[in-house]
Amino acid sequence: MRRKMAEGSRELQMWLGANVSEAYRAPVSAVADTLEDLRCSDLDELESLLALNSWPVLTRRRFVDAWRELKGEGAAPAPMAVDTPEPVAEPVVESAPEPRSEPAPVPEPAANMNAPPRRRAHAPARVNDSSGRYLCPAGCGRSFAHGPAAVSHGKSCGKLPPAAKRQRAESESDDAAAEPS
């Protein structure tokens, strides 16, 4: 009896290997010890035990077709095509040849992908005429001897806090009031 069960189990594993995807072999093996167990079961029982509705459609179809052949029922018939009436051929009427149109314009070549990216234009550094130094373009009040240094600083400058701006404005107004026009 044991020998017969072992042989039946081996047959089941061979059948599973030929007909069932590897991911779904374990659930089938869990509900059937031999091919005879599968032959004796009906489709409703297998659907509930194996949750066949959760299997991918084609995997489920391959399993059910192989199971039906195992039972001797043969695979399920292929779905019948819906009968559609034959289309009636309409008479072919020759039409005059269409006039030739001009060829489509050739698009301009795309930009050179190997070229370096174009640089963004930055605000030019302002020069303080009295000292000849470059002022921060963001307006914080710092001055630099080198123009690119002022531009570089202006990119990351957080400007002055409001209190410092007020002090600066007051000192500039004092300077302007002191200078005669």
Side-chain angles (χ1 to χ4, degrees), residues 63-77:
F63 171 77
V64 170
D65 288 348
W67 171 78
R68 284 190 172 129
E69 285 183 29
L70 179 67
K71 286 187 66 111
E73 297 176 3

Side-chain angles (χ1 to χ4, degrees), residues 24 26-32 37-38 40-55 63:
Y24 298 96
V28 176
S29 295
V31 298
D37 293 342
L38 286 178
C40 293
S41 58
D42 61 0
L43 186 57
D44 291 335
E45 185 179 22
L46 288 176
E47 284 177 346
S48 66
L49 291 172
L50 298 174
L52 289 177
N53 290 334
S54 67
W55 290 23
F63 171 77

Side-chain angles (χ1 to χ4, degrees), residues 23-125:
Y24 298 96
R25 290 178 195 161
V28 176
S29 295
V31 298
D33 291 328
T34 65
L35 282 178
E36 193 59 36
D37 293 342
L38 286 178
R39 279 189 200 103
C40 293
S41 58
D42 61 0
L43 186 57
D44 291 335
E45 185 179 22
L46 288 176
E47 284 177 346
S48 66
L49 291 172
L50 298 174
L52 289 177
N53 290 334
S54 67
W55 290 23
V57 174
L58 297 178
T59 303
R60 178 177 59 234
R61 185 178 302 157
R62 188 174 57 242
F63 171 77
V64 170
D65 288 348
W67 171 78
R68 284 190 172 129
E69 285 183 29
L70 179 67
K71 286 187 66 111
E73 297 176 3
M80 300 277 297
V82 177
D83 289 337
T84 56
E86 290 281 327
V88 177
E90 295 184 23
V92 177
V93 178
E94 287 189 35
S95 59
E98 293 185 29
R100 291 185 180 218
S101 60
E102 293 187 25
V106 177
E108 293 184 25
N112 184 356
M113 299 307 288
N114 295 327
R118 300 187 114 221
R119 295 185 66 155
R120 266 187 353 180
H122 298 291

Side-chain angles (χ1 to χ4, degrees), residues 127-144:
V127 176
N128 181 346
D129 291 332
S130 63
S131 65
R133 293 178 59 90
Y134 296 91
L135 296 175
C136 169
C140 74
R142 286 190 63 184
S143 63
F144 300 87

